Amino acid sequence: MSERGPREPQGSREPREPQRLREREEAWGPQQQPEPVPPAAVPQSRVLAAVAAGGALGALARYGALVLWPGAGGFPWTVFAVNVSGCALIGVLMVLTVERPRITHPLVRPFLGVGVLGGYTTFSTYAADVSGLLARQEVAVAMAYAAATAVAALAAVWAAAAAARAALDRGARTAARDAGRTA
């Protein structure tokens, strides 16, 4: 046995991740993992209202950021920051609502994910900014912006999701340790 745990048998190709997930589920216990309500159980009119209300709030937040930090040509830093921060938030939201459901209300994902974060982040402004930079012959800035946004957005989703998982794992370990002390 190594410091990392038992070694896998030679020839075993099963990834370690399912084992880790089973261990986490055992540590959390069934009472801490409520089942999410299936989307079909919610009337579509309520889902549509949640998406619309969230979208309005997200679009207002994006507009507010653009008003506060309007940018003066060149690299569109405000839209870049909005899109990257929105991607980080969607990473956390997906961990909390899908991967390890801590938030189970059936309208949370439509309201926050599709609505607020969908209205906050903006692919159309990103594309228009790239197009505008190209029209002004700022090819290097356009290509840097296009590539940097894609890379930073994906990195933000990954890093935020990983941080959310780590925080949940830390909380589960603390709760298990505390439960062991009281038993």
Side-chain angles (χ1 to χ4, degrees):
M1 189 181 285
S2 69
E3 289 180 57
R4 293 184 182 187
R7 297 188 73 147
E8 293 181 23
Q10 293 283 13
S12 172
R13 296 199 181 264
E14 185 179 328
R16 293 171 92 58
E17 192 59 26
Q19 178 185 352
R20 288 184 186 140
L21 290 175
R22 282 191 299 274
E23 290 168 357
R24 287 177 188 153
E25 288 172 359
E26 290 169 5
W28 290 338
Q31 72 281 4
Q32 294 179 351
Q33 289 191 7
E35 277 297 314
V37 176
V42 179
Q44 287 301 305
S45 60
R46 290 183 61 202
V47 174
L48 183 60
V51 169
L57 292 174
L60 285 171
R62 175 176 22 99
Y63 180 75
L66 289 167
V67 168
L68 288 172
W69 303 288
F75 196 94
W77 287 106
T78 304
V79 174
F80 178 81
V82 162
N83 285 335
V84 172
S85 64
C87 286
L89 292 170
I90 200 78
V92 172
L93 180 66
M94 290 299 102
V95 168
L96 294 176
T97 60
V98 176
E99 189 176 308
R100 301 187 187 171
R102 293 294 191 267
I103 303 170
T104 58
H105 192 284
L107 294 177
V108 168
R109 266 182 62 200
F111 175 73
L112 291 176
V114 179
V116 173
L117 295 174
Y120 178 64
T121 58
T122 171
F123 187 79
S124 59
T125 302
Y126 161 70
D129 285 344
V130 170
S131 179
L133 289 165
L134 291 171
R136 292 191 306 272
Q137 304 296 312
E138 297 181 52
V139 176
V141 175
M143 294 300 107
Y145 175 55
T149 298
V151 169
L154 291 170
V157 170
W158 177 84
R165 285 184 207 107
L168 291 173
D169 289 347
R170 200 170 26 258
R173 283 192 303 270
T174 301
R177 186 180 62 235
D178 292 346
R181 287 182 190 161
T182 59

